[in-house]
Amino acid sequence: MKFLLSIAFAAGLLVLERPIIFSETFTEGARVSPETVTLKPGEYVWEPERAPEGPLLIVASVTEQVAYVYRNGIGIARSSVSTGRLGHPTPIGVFTILEKEVHHTSSIYKGAEMPYMERVTWGGIALHAGDLPGYPDSHGCVRLPLEFSKLLFGVTMKGATVIIVDQHSAPAETVHPGFFFTQRARRASQLLLASLNGILINRPAVQCP
């Protein structure tokens, strides 16, 4: 019987149109109290009711391994993350969400599953659900707990601003979120200048809706 099962399994492999991709490991995630100071791997805080409407800003700290979400300049969420491992650093800078896809399969990393993918570069960097071992372990992406990535996906839009920093003591000390939401910023001409850790980063102006 075992021999017949082995033959059937092998025959099944031959008719597959693409190679078998083993299931990815995802950290499910655990919602915790807003009073929680230090988030453990997989933990997140979600308080969208604090600001039901307004433009969204995401700040991901490589140093803290935490992502912060602001709406209309008010913090509504934060989550543990896993950024790029040694040799595959997560890029630092100011980005926008270029593309969103609920069920995404990587064309770079051998068909790896990346649920709730929110692309920030055309070179393969994105926010998506993944494994959070408690330290930087990705190939450059920002991994999120599965449940948090689903919630975040539901409130973001293409064009939303994502800032990735390597030090983050407080959002206002990194880049003041209010800057992105002013009428003046909406009419800003060509360049958005953001100073992150003393480094001047130039990029095209964020197009606010």
Side-chain angles (χ1 to χ4, degrees):
M1 179 62 70
K2 291 183 179 180
F3 178 72
L4 292 176
L5 290 175
S6 297
I7 293 177
F9 179 75
L13 294 182
L14 293 176
V15 299
L16 289 177
E17 295 182 359
R18 60 180 181 177
I20 289 181
I21 302 300
F22 292 100
S23 298
E24 302 296 314
T25 300
F26 301 104
T27 298
E28 190 71 17
R31 185 172 179 176
V32 298
S33 166
E35 304 302 320
T36 304
V37 177
T38 302
L39 297 175
K40 297 177 182 178
E43 292 185 338
Y44 65 90
V45 173
W46 185 253
E47 300 179 282
E49 65 280 0
R50 296 193 67 217
E53 299 179 348
L56 205 76
L57 170 66
I58 300 170
V59 180
S61 169
V62 172
T63 303
E64 294 183 4
Q65 293 292 283
V66 175
Y68 300 81
V69 184
Y70 304 90
R71 188 156 55 190
N72 211 29
I74 298 172
I76 64 167
R78 54 191 170 95
S79 173
S80 52
V81 303
S82 179
T83 57
R85 68 182 69 165
L86 185 65
H88 297 274
T90 298
I92 305 302
V94 184
F95 308 89
T96 57
I97 295 176
L98 303 171
E99 182 181 50
K100 297 180 56 172
E101 192 173 349
V102 174
H103 304 290
H104 179 73
T105 301
S106 175
S107 60
I108 299 176
Y109 300 110
K110 300 180 180 179
E113 297 177 15
M114 299 178 176
Y116 302 103
M117 184 277 295
E118 303 192 61
R119 184 186 303 279
V120 295
T121 78
W122 293 117
I125 303 302
L127 286 71
H128 64 80
D131 181 37
L132 277 69
Y135 51 84
D137 191 47
S138 77
H139 284 89
C141 288
V142 178
R143 294 181 187 168
L144 307 168
L146 181 60
E147 287 302 315
F148 181 81
S149 68
K150 182 178 181 179
L151 292 169
L152 183 64
F153 193 93
V155 299
T156 58
M157 297 179 64
K158 289 183 182 179
T161 302
V162 178
I163 301 176
I164 303 175
V165 295
D166 57 10
Q167 289 188 8
H168 183 342
S169 58
E173 296 175 10
T174 308
V175 176
H176 198 295
F179 173 81
F180 294 94
F181 309 133
T182 64
Q183 289 296 324
R184 185 175 181 179
R186 292 172 186 266
R187 299 190 298 269
S189 55
Q190 301 298 322
L191 295 175
L192 172 63
L193 304 178
S195 179
L196 302 176
N197 299 316
I199 300 174
L200 191 65
I201 295 174
N202 299 314
R203 65 179 300 278
V206 174
Q207 299 299 316
C208 299

